[in-house]
Amino acid sequence: MKITTKINLLTTVWMLCILILINFVVYISFMKTTINMEEDTLFQKAGDIVNEINTKQSQSEIEDYLSEHSYIRIIEPRNKIVHEVTNDKILSKKIKGKYTKIKQAKTYLISEEHGEEQVLVVRVPINNGNQFKGSLEIGERLQGLETRKEILRAILIFCTIIAALLSLLGGRWLANMIMRPISNMIKTMEEIEKSGVPKTITIQNKAKDELQTLVKTFNRMIDRIQINMDKQKQFISDASHELKTPLTVIKSYANLLRRRGLENKDLADEAIKAIHSEATRIQKMTDTFLDLATLEKVNVLEIKEVNLVSLCKNILKQFKDVYRREITLHSDGFPIMISADELKIKQVIIILLDNAMKYSKDKIDVFLEKNQQHAIIRVKDYGIGIPEGEINNIFERFYRVDKARSRETGGSGLGLHIAKGIIKLHKGEINIKSKEGEGTEVVLFLPILE
Ligand code: ADP
């Protein structure tokens, strides 16, 4: 069963239950108060008759007190009727006279051709000194009450039907209002499922309620999916573009080798060298892609205490041994402790040193210091520098200032992007100061261990 139908049915049934309960209370209270009022009137009448009997010492004029469909009786002890006046013989036949010493009122249900009818009987004692002892009984059909009961019943039934209809319509309107954004969402999701293209829902509901929050959250989620899909597409196209160039070089040299390489040793050497170098480049690139992929996963860090001074010393020693460049570490020698993933921080420092070596020929300086909150690592070179307008772009994926030069140096444009990602994961910061022709300084800030 649809939620709208469920809400509709439930509200209507609930409404009907409340109405039936209210109707019941109204009906009972109406009957009670009306009968009480009738009782009061009859007692009043009985009182008047008793007074008259007592003062005039005669029962002859009690006929004047008869109302429509009623009887008046005077009864002696042992239920003996001594005097009776009536204008409804059937009624007086159906109700037996009863002597009473106390004032009492009673309703009787008598059967008639057209159904049952209520009769109200009141009895009051007549105490006229020592002369007469008996009671007065007045019986009266509650015909007015029957008609009013019928009218009330009709009104209540009519109102209940109207209320049920209104509740049905109201319930449908309410259910539709609640379900519209949800139905829109379902429709959009089905469209997304069919087409595979993420789509947001237009917000029609201006009220700041839970439904609007639901739609907004859905839209935010779709936006993020869209951004991720765009990123993925961009990455695939950038990566294939990057891989295409070395693969074309490999293919051309392989062709050359196949055609003429075996006869010409120099050509073969050149081709093999080129193929080897391009293959190495592809290998490096795929390693970097893997680094990028792990960076995008959550909780990738293996955090432990790291002494930056000894870490930098080790890296610099390796670089100096392999590349024979002048790289100097400036530090006061005191340990600088941070909480970090050692391998990842090492990767960042290597990226920065690698860039400094690729884009400069002179010495390289590495400064290690700390302030109250951060450990600060500065990698400074005195090379070609970066044009001012390009500084903001160099953290972008695959961005290289001088494409031709980067190819020579084997750069992929991913190093700084990865470095920034790692530093962000450590809640740190990476800044670049550079002047074209003078050199570049990359500054890392990493939260210090208290
Ligand atoms: P790449 O692998 O090309 O070096 P990076 O992301 O590490 O990729 O760097 C992006 C670009 O920023 C480089 O292509 C280069 O143009 C520029 N760059 C980075 N570091 C330096 C530097 N120390 N000196 C001059 N240019 C730099």
Side-chain angles (χ1 to χ4, degrees), residues 288 351-360 379-387 390-391 393-403 405-407 409-419 432-434 439-442:
T288 335
I351 289 172
L352 300 187
L353 282 175
D354 202 39
N355 277 351
M357 287 200 330
K358 278 193 290 191
Y359 304 110
S360 79
V379 179
K380 193 169 164 68
D381 67 64
Y382 305 89
I384 57 166
I386 305 164
E390 304 275 4
I391 290 184
N393 301 329
I394 56 170
F395 290 107
E396 303 273 319
R397 221 160 38 185
F398 296 110
Y399 193 88
R400 283 161 303 186
V401 177
D402 183 344
K403 309 255 171 334
R405 199 186 151 83
S406 277
R407 267 200 65 72
T409 54
S412 62
L414 284 173
L416 285 178
H417 179 78
I418 291 175
I432 289 204
K433 293 181 218 162
S434 184
T440 304
E441 183 182 40
V442 187

Side-chain angles (χ1 to χ4, degrees), residues 87-292:
N87 52 18
D88 189 332
K89 286 248 163 40
I90 304 171
L91 174 68
S92 61
K93 232 186 224 170
K94 283 197 173 164
I95 309 282
K96 281 192 177 141
K98 246 187 198 169
Y99 168 75
T100 178
K101 284 181 187 168
I102 48 159
K103 206 172 152 186
Q104 58 170 235
K106 222 169 169 189
T107 47
Y108 292 88
L109 265 183
I110 55 165
S111 48
E112 288 292 319
E113 277 166 27
H114 54 272
E116 286 184 322
E117 200 169 73
Q118 280 203 64
V119 176
L120 178 63
V121 175
V122 296
R123 297 182 180 109
V124 289
I126 309 171
N127 224 338
N128 190 4
N130 289 330
Q131 286 180 8
F132 182 74
K133 212 167 182 205
S135 64
L136 180 81
E137 182 178 299
I138 309 179
E140 197 176 294
R141 282 182 199 260
L142 292 174
Q143 269 186 323
L145 178 73
E146 285 303 315
T147 344
R148 271 177 274 164
K149 222 163 84 180
E150 294 293 316
I151 294 173
L152 180 69
R153 210 180 289 158
I155 292 175
L156 290 180
I157 291 175
F158 177 74
C159 289
T160 309
I161 292 172
I162 294 289
L165 282 176
L166 286 178
S167 143
L168 210 68
L169 289 176
R172 174 166 294 183
W173 174 78
L174 189 79
N176 277 343
M177 197 182 79
I178 296 173
M179 285 307 294
R180 201 176 305 129
I182 299 174
S183 312
N184 274 349
M185 251 167 79
I186 295 172
K187 222 171 95 190
T188 315
M189 280 175 187
E190 281 170 352
E191 277 171 22
I192 294 174
E193 196 188 18
K194 257 189 221 151
S195 66
V197 183
K199 228 173 125 184
T200 53
I201 303 173
T202 17
I203 300 175
Q204 287 157 345
N205 173 12
K206 293 274 177 295
K208 281 191 177 139
D209 52 16
E210 287 86 345
L211 288 174
Q212 206 200 51
T213 318
L214 181 75
V215 175
K216 276 187 175 168
T217 315
F218 177 82
N219 283 352
R220 269 205 307 275
M221 191 185 77
I222 290 293
D223 284 344
R224 277 177 67 171
I225 292 177
Q226 183 67 59
I227 290 171
N228 281 343
M229 279 174 75
D230 289 348
K231 269 189 184 170
Q232 219 172 20
K233 257 193 226 158
Q234 187 62 39
F235 180 77
I236 291 171
S237 101
D238 288 344
S240 357
H241 188 256
E242 291 302 313
L243 289 173
K244 216 163 110 188
T245 329
L247 283 174
T248 318
V249 176
I250 291 175
K251 201 176 160 195
S252 335
Y253 273 109
N255 268 338
L256 198 67
L257 257 183
R258 199 173 51 190
R259 276 189 277 118
R260 292 190 284 125
L262 294 177
E263 301 132 31
N264 188 336
K265 192 173 174 306
D266 290 344
L267 192 73
D269 276 349
E270 189 196 327
I272 288 166
K273 237 168 141 183
I275 288 171
H276 181 263
S277 130
E278 290 303 308
T280 316
R281 198 168 132 74
I282 292 175
Q283 194 183 28
K284 263 195 199 165
M285 224 183 281
T286 44
D287 285 347
T288 335
F289 291 167
L290 282 178
D291 281 346
L292 254 187

